[in-house]
Amino acid sequence: MRLGINLGYWGLGMDADNIAVAQEADRLGYSVCWAAEAYGSDAATVLSYVAAKTERIDVGSAIFQIPARTPTMTAMTAATLDTLSGGRFRLGLGVSGPQVSEGWYGVKFDKPLARTREYVEIIRKAMSRERLVHEGTNWTLPLPGGPGKPIKLTVHPVREHIPLYIAAIGPKNLEQTGEIADGWLGIFFAPEHAALSLEPLRAGRAKAGQTLDGFDLCPTVAISPGEDVKAAADSQRSYAALYIGGMGSKEKNFYNQLTRRMGYEQAADEIQERYLAKDYAGAAAAVPYDLIDATSLLGPTARIADRMQAYADAGVTTLTLAPAGFTLEERIAALRTGVEALELAGLA
């Protein structure tokens, strides 16, 4: 099992620290460094900078938002980043959510599965460097009846095939991800509930005549080392409450729905009710300790090693860490603990 690092969003006052974290992960032998985007910093610019400041570690988008770019623009960006990084780019995609898609990009959040499938199909065609022709529900290339003509990508990526990942939570999206992608970007993944994600992914792979062998299962997992496990869990409460309670609307919150499928229906209701009422402290307090412990790496190095073994046994191939703490020292310490735990578990 390999390790990754997720830098999250840029522009929160820790940009210089983020580069130092990426460079330390590079030095420690981490496999990939991911950057995210929502409605602040864009991931492509960040990844260009990280790639320029590192030597070996892959750089990946987790995620590029599908409503933010046309598929051909995404193909251009992926090819350019792969070239600039010397063949170190991984393309992660996601549909975002209805509030961002419609409120920020002005793109209707309808039929996200069909949109994602067509988006990936166009990217694959463009990256093949053949002249691009496509007739679909969302995009027609070239536009009929006009001066447009089939064009091919002029940039030559370093690799013939750039790995393509999709961030997916719901069962149907997971199944499609298994069918059309090279890897999966997960969140709030617990080994004890692995079947919720892996069974749909496996079904999708079967549709494509494949198995999960060679498919990169890549969840992001918070890591909070320390002797006091409960205190380590408390450091993750606000993060969990934000996603379970505040990401999306009351009617459509994918993370809240996942929490319910894991058996925490009552807690999911309370977290969301408190968060939407702006009782953020109450929402954080309502997150069950067991949920945080199941979806995080908490406590002493030996305990973290045991949990890493559980993730490996569940089938995870790249475990991406999100270090707790706001200081550079805390984040670097978490990075080093991750490597120590991996070695202690015999997974390095």
Side-chain angles (χ1 to χ4, degrees):
M1 186 171 69
R2 301 173 295 275
L3 293 180
I5 174 71
N6 197 320
L7 298 178
Y9 303 113
W10 215 257
L12 301 178
M14 300 187 295
D15 294 356
D17 288 356
N18 278 341
I19 286 297
V21 168
Q23 290 174 327
E24 180 66 5
D26 190 22
R27 188 187 71 79
L28 290 169
Y30 276 65
S31 175
V32 59
C33 176
W34 303 96
E37 64 183 17
Y39 42 92
S41 58
D42 76 286
T45 306
V46 169
L47 292 171
S48 296
Y49 190 53
V50 172
K53 295 288 186 177
T54 54
E55 297 178 1
R56 296 171 298 278
I57 194 168
D58 281 5
V59 294
S61 55
I63 55 166
F64 282 165
Q65 297 168 304
I66 285 174
R69 302 170 180 83
T70 65
T72 45
M73 182 70 243
T74 296
M76 290 166 59
T77 303
T80 305
L81 280 167
D82 196 59
T83 302
L84 290 176
S85 66
R88 292 188 284 140
F89 179 64
R90 304 187 194 185
L91 174 59
L93 303 171
V95 293
S96 188
Q99 290 179 318
V100 173
S101 183
E102 299 191 12
W104 187 245
Y105 295 117
V107 176
K108 193 73 174 172
F109 192 82
D110 59 352
K111 300 181 179 178
L113 288 175
R115 183 181 294 272
T116 299
R117 181 181 289 273
E118 189 174 349
Y119 199 90
V120 169
E121 183 179 343
I122 295 171
I123 288 174
R124 300 280 200 203
K125 289 179 179 178
M127 296 295 286
S128 73
R129 300 194 65 253
E130 298 179 0
R131 295 194 179 275
L132 182 58
V133 176
H134 178 85
E135 290 188 23
T137 303
N138 298 284
W139 294 277
T140 299
L141 301 167
L143 285 175
K149 62 180 182 179
I151 299 172
K152 67 178 181 179
L153 183 70
T154 61
V155 176
H156 292 254
V158 174
R159 292 165 298 170
E160 289 288 329
H161 182 85
I162 293 176
L164 189 150
Y165 296 69
I166 295 175
I169 297 175
K172 291 182 179 179
N173 197 358
L174 285 162
E175 183 174 327
Q176 178 170 275
T177 296
E179 183 183 356
I180 67 175
D182 303 307
W184 167 62
L185 299 173
I187 189 171
F188 294 120
F189 179 83
E192 295 77 10
H193 299 280
L196 291 174
S197 302
L198 300 194
E199 288 308 310
L201 286 167
R202 190 174 285 110
R205 297 297 289 165
K207 278 188 175 181
Q210 302 286 334
T211 68
L212 286 176
D213 291 343
F215 186 83
D216 196 9
L217 297 170
C218 184
T220 291
V221 179
I223 179 170
S224 183
E227 292 303 314
D228 189 334
V229 178
K230 290 292 180 69
D234 287 343
S235 73
Q236 299 299 322
R237 289 188 175 279
S238 295
Y239 172 83
L242 167 64
Y243 278 81
I244 298 168
M247 284 289 192
S249 64
K250 183 174 178 60
E251 295 75 25
K252 189 168 286 188
N253 179 323
F254 306 124
Y255 310 99
N256 190 281
Q257 292 165 6
L258 173 60
T259 303
R260 293 172 183 278
R261 290 196 296 274
M262 293 169 69
Y264 296 94
E265 294 91 345
Q266 185 175 344
D269 280 338
E270 183 178 357
I271 295 164
Q272 187 176 66
E273 182 178 339
R274 289 180 178 274
Y275 200 95
L276 295 180
K278 301 189 185 302
D279 178 11
Y280 304 129
V287 180
Y289 164 78
D290 289 347
L291 174 61
I292 298 173
D293 191 31
T295 57
S296 309
L297 300 171
L298 309 173
T301 303
R303 189 176 193 272
I304 289 173
D306 287 344
R307 289 301 291 166
M308 282 189 172
Q309 184 65 62
Y311 277 93
D313 290 344
V316 171
T317 47
T318 301
L319 189 65
T320 295
L321 306 183
F326 292 99
T327 69
L328 177 59
E329 291 74 18
E330 289 173 322
R331 298 170 73 195
I332 293 293
L335 276 182
R336 293 172 179 167
T337 297
V339 172
E340 292 168 5
L342 193 77
E343 293 173 349
L344 183 61
L347 298 170

